[in-house]
Amino acid sequence: DQQVKQNSPSLSVQEGRISILNCDYTNSMFDYFLWYKKYPAEGPTFLISISSIKDKNEDGRFTVFLNKSAKHLSLHIVPSQPGDSAVYFCAASGGAGGTSYGKLTFGQGTILTVHP
Amino acid sequence: ETGVTQSPTHLIKTRGQQVTLRCSSQSGHNTVSWYQQALGQGPQFIFQYYREEENGRGNFPPRFSGLQFPNYSSELNVNALELDDSALYLCASSLFAANYGYTFGSGTRLTVV
């Protein structure tokens, strides 16, 4: 049962344009959502997160949008740079008191390639 | 501030053998979680340790076991290795019950032949 899904295995974008990575989830108990970036031979590194009480969080070139009714979140990267080329994982965690609090459920990942 | 260190980086084992993977937590972190990442998949939660006790477990059989030491370092042990255990094993340290602030190591690539 895949509770967090990233339906696009890959995305190719031109430098300077916007990259939009999507993520869907099924578990309504998820309360906190994170995006991680992973380069080959390295562990995932934290990028940006959002709590379920918000619908948008922005950090520099990165913005995460959350649509709770649709159980959907997206990561926008503007402008995209070649150094952004990596695998991006969406992850979710449960609320306080729940069994999944503090434990991450990951999507399958999306390979982003930004062309110069 | 040191990050999360995992050892070894790669290893090859034969089916049926046992393996121990090691992880040193980031300074100041008291919780360690282990994840398995199969090829082409996202990391899957194996279990988490806090105060040297297991604090939650994912859908993994008992032959996957762990330890956390007083200095917050950790081991993942896998008995009776199967071919499907071939994966990247990631360790992440954090503060207890934090939904954020996970620091991942670079992982151990295990190949079972």
Side-chain angles (χ1 to χ4, degrees):
Chain A
D1 176 28
Q2 190 76 30
Q3 296 187 61
V4 177
K5 293 183 183 178
Q6 293 174 257
N7 291 318
S8 299
S10 63
L11 175 66
S12 184
V13 170
Q14 207 67 30
E15 181 178 6
R17 300 288 186 102
I18 184 172
S19 296
I20 300 177
L21 297 99
N22 294 302
C23 178
D24 297 295
Y25 63 95
T26 57
N27 188 342
S28 57
M29 298 301 291
F30 286 144
D31 204 41
Y32 201 80
F33 304 89
L34 310 92
W35 284 93
Y36 281 83
K37 180 167 75 172
K38 188 178 185 302
Y39 294 116
E42 293 184 14
T45 54
F46 172 74
L47 202 54
I48 192 170
S49 63
I50 188 167
S51 165
S52 62
I53 62 173
K54 293 187 171 183
D55 55 19
K56 177 182 174 181
N57 189 26
E58 198 169 348
D59 183 3
R61 297 186 297 114
F62 303 92
T63 302
V64 56
F65 295 92
L66 175 62
N67 183 334
K68 280 192 71 176
S69 60
K71 293 192 176 66
H72 177 84
L73 65 156
S74 60
L75 173 68
H76 292 210
I77 307 173
V78 182
S80 301
Q81 299 172 354
D84 295 331
S85 298
V87 180
Y88 287 77
F89 290 101
C90 166
S93 182
T99 56
S100 62
Y101 187 58
K103 292 110 181 175
L104 300 178
T105 300
F106 283 86
Q108 309 95 307
T110 296
I111 302 170
L112 174 65
T113 304
V114 180
H115 299 283
Chain B
E1 180 179 277
T2 58
V4 175
T5 306
Q6 291 188 244
S7 62
T9 54
H10 298 83
L11 78 165
I12 300 174
K13 288 286 189 177
T14 303
R15 189 171 51 182
Q17 284 189 314
Q18 179 265 344
V19 70
T20 297
L21 311 181
R22 294 179 174 83
C23 172
S24 294
S25 300
Q26 178 171 308
S27 175
H29 285 177
N30 57 15
T31 302
V32 174
S33 303
W34 286 90
Y35 290 82
Q36 180 196 66
Q37 186 181 6
L39 203 60
Q41 300 296 316
Q44 270 199 295
F45 175 72
I46 303 175
F47 43 54
Q48 184 181 88
Y49 276 81
Y50 171 65
R51 287 186 176 175
E52 303 174 48
E53 292 192 359
E54 189 179 286
N55 177 54
R57 187 179 187 93
N59 190 24
F60 282 82
R63 58 191 186 83
F64 285 78
S65 63
L67 284 172
Q68 186 185 30
F69 301 99
N71 66 353
Y72 306 125
S73 65
S74 177
E75 287 182 355
L76 164 66
N77 298 289
V78 187
N79 292 323
L81 283 166
E82 301 177 359
L83 297 179
D84 284 349
D85 296 333
S86 296
L88 179 68
Y89 288 84
L90 294 162
C91 169
S93 72
S94 64
L95 289 173
F96 179 64
N99 262 336
Y100 50 88
Y102 289 84
T103 302
F104 281 85
S106 298
T108 295
R109 173 72 61 187
L110 172 66
T111 303
V112 182
V113 298

